[in-house]
Amino acid sequence: MSRELTGKVAFVTGGGSGIGEATSIAFADEGASVVIVDFDLAGAERVAATIVSKGGLAQAIKADVSDDASIGDAISQTIAKFGRLDIAVNNAGIGGDMAPTGDQSVSGWRKVMGVNLDGVFYSMRHEIPAMLKSGGGSIINMASILGAVGFANSAGYVTAKHGVVGLTKNAAIEYATQGIRVNAIGPGFINTPLLSALPADSLAGIASLHPMNRLGQSREVADLVVFLASEKASFITGSYYPVDGGYLAR
Ligand code: NAP
């Protein structure tokens, strides 16, 4: 059976955990070589080992997306190892401080913007030239349902994710005739380590905000990422796709 991404090279930030881990494994299952980039090198190496144990090709790289030079170096390492870049998933993210806007600290705001918005821009400014040299590609930015609506006590996170959707649209327009498609995904609340700080009763409350009355699973997001990365999505660019159990339909 032919696989969707045979011969492609994919770059996944935050690939050592949660949605990025599921995406990296799904890419490898479809035949891509996968570069797993994470602040947490042990997590990235664990995911790379899982892929290699199944006969795939993978490379773990430690990098910080909030540092332009660090992510630029990760792209250089990717080209040195695999010679090209076809797919990039800008997924690394943090939750950010929970406080009403008037009580948000400047340092908390800067931190979440630095990873969740600046990090996507820094990644794209290194990925795009590499993709142009490779003849085009697909960029998928991990926004959130909170890229479309607000969520009390999360001003920095919500602002950064709305920004990711805008950045996605802009780059899509700029590169549409040069073979690079750029899309964003808006997951609802997904059962990953990102939510592990929350107590069980608040998780049940969060699950009930989704009409399906449950949290999503990382694989349910990864399946959409694989579709957008593949040639099946050849006429899709500049869009934002929720995968949210109906959250935004309310
Ligand atoms: P996760 O399990 O915490 O995984 C995120 C990974 O990114 C972690 O390995 C983390 O490393 C890494 N990371 C954090 N800051 C980084 C940086 N500056 N540079 C490089 N890597 C960094 O989170 P997830 O739930 O899979 O989230 C992935 C993405 O989906 C995020 O952008 C998040 O905002 C978005 N999202 C998640 C949900 C959800 O409910 N889970 C919903 C909507 C959108 P450390 O562990 O060392 O921090």
Side-chain angles (χ1 to χ4, degrees), residues 13-20 37-40 63-66 90-94 115-116 142-145 157 161 186-195 218:
T13 70
S17 176
I19 293 168
V37 180
D38 208 293
F39 204 49
D40 170 15
D64 177 356
V65 298
S66 69
N90 298 316
N91 163 81
I94 56 174
V115 177
N116 290 10
M142 202 55 67
S144 165
I145 45 173
Y157 187 92
K161 294 300 188 182
F189 287 86
I190 308 298
N191 189 12
T192 74
L194 193 73
L195 301 189
S218 294

Side-chain angles (χ1 to χ4, degrees), residues 66-157:
S66 69
D67 176 344
D68 178 63
S70 176
I71 204 71
D73 184 58
I75 290 288
S76 298
Q77 289 185 56
T78 300
I79 301 302
K81 170 92 180 166
F82 293 114
R84 58 186 294 111
L85 180 65
D86 305 289
I87 299 162
V89 184
N90 298 316
N91 163 81
I94 56 174
D97 294 346
M98 299 285 289
T101 302
D103 295 330
Q104 283 268 342
S105 71
V106 171
S107 61
W109 171 272
R110 294 260 177 261
K111 186 169 181 201
V112 75
M113 297 296 278
V115 177
N116 290 10
L117 181 55
D118 296 351
V120 176
F121 167 62
Y122 296 154
S123 299
M124 288 174 72
R125 68 183 289 279
H126 294 290
E127 292 157 0
I128 288 168
M131 279 185 181
L132 289 173
K133 283 185 190 147
S134 305
S138 175
I139 295 175
I140 297 110
N141 292 327
M142 202 55 67
S144 165
I145 45 173
L146 305 186
V149 293
F151 195 78
N153 301 321
S154 302
Y157 187 92

